[in-house]
Amino acid sequence: MLNEIKWPDGYLPGTTDNFASNEIIVQGITASDVFNCLIDTSIWTSYYGNASDIIFYNTEGTILKSDTRFSFKTFGFPIEAEIVEYVEPNGNEPGRIAWHGWAEGDEEHRLDVIHAWLFENLSHNRVRILTQESQIGKPAKDLFNSNPDIMNQGHQDWIKGLAKTVLNNKGI
């Protein structure tokens, strides 16, 4: 049985204005490999073209940790963010990381999200990479109605780029 994202109150998928879910399964890498690559924001722009201007507020360096406050630009939005879940993979226990992100503004521009990741080791030397984002606000409603679905396409690019980076780092 596969693990699921743990959603805080108010962000349960299906009850928010938009929801994106993306998943891949890759052979030859581990949950720890992928987790360690994702938390290193200094390389995000090398494999995900939709992230820029990453700034840390309460942590030295570029590595995400529990309670890290940071900001970045993505999908045209300047996002303020704070890590709200941080669990490193441990054996058969999946890794989890999630941030609460928001774009300030009036009702027309305010956006609130939980962006969650799960990294799960599977049989046959495979890893499952799942990322999901539950969104609230007028921009989320606009993203729900976008065609093409830029949120799901962008997040799919992110997890594929993440996996390819880890595979390349391992020489696979």
Side-chain angles (χ1 to χ4, degrees):
M1 182 157 155
L2 299 176
N3 287 283
E4 296 180 349
I5 301 294
K6 298 175 183 175
W7 293 103
D9 289 343
Y11 292 91
L12 183 67
T15 67
T16 59
D17 296 316
N18 192 31
F19 175 70
S21 182
N22 301 84
E23 174 181 35
I24 59 173
I25 296 176
V26 181
Q27 191 170 39
I29 57 178
T30 68
S32 290
D33 295 333
V34 181
F35 183 90
N36 289 328
C37 190
L38 178 71
I39 64 172
D40 184 356
T41 65
S42 71
I43 62 173
W44 279 11
T45 58
S46 72
Y47 65 85
Y48 181 53
N50 200 17
S52 66
D53 302 323
I54 303 162
I55 299 169
F56 280 65
Y57 297 118
N58 65 343
T59 304
E60 292 290 323
T62 60
I63 305 297
L64 296 174
K65 301 174 182 127
S66 187
D67 300 319
T68 298
R69 273 271 290 115
F70 65 108
S71 65
F72 66 107
K73 289 183 182 168
T74 186
F75 292 99
F77 296 101
I79 300 294
E80 297 290 324
E82 182 173 14
I83 300 296
V84 294
E85 182 179 30
Y86 188 94
V87 178
E88 294 183 36
N90 186 6
N92 289 329
E93 291 300 312
R96 297 173 179 278
I97 190 164
W99 55 78
H100 172 225
W102 62 95
E104 297 290 345
D106 58 19
E107 190 173 316
E108 185 76 12
H109 298 97
R110 173 79 182 177
L111 178 67
D112 264 294
V113 307
I114 296 291
H115 190 146
W117 296 79
L118 186 136
F119 312 101
E120 182 173 21
N121 289 320
L122 303 175
S123 65
H124 300 90
N125 193 31
R126 299 172 304 145
V127 66
R128 175 181 177 227
I129 305 168
L130 172 66
T131 187
Q132 296 182 329
E133 186 168 296
S134 192
Q135 308 169 338
I136 300 168
K138 169 88 169 58
K141 291 175 185 175
D142 294 342
L143 287 167
F144 176 79
N145 291 313
S146 70
N147 187 12
D149 184 350
I150 60 171
M151 185 62 59
N152 274 297
Q153 289 176 354
H155 285 174
Q156 193 68 22
D157 289 345
W158 196 346
I159 62 173
K160 287 174 73 175
L162 175 61
K164 288 177 184 177
T165 298
V166 175
L167 287 165
N168 289 338
N169 288 346
K170 294 191 75 116
I172 298 173

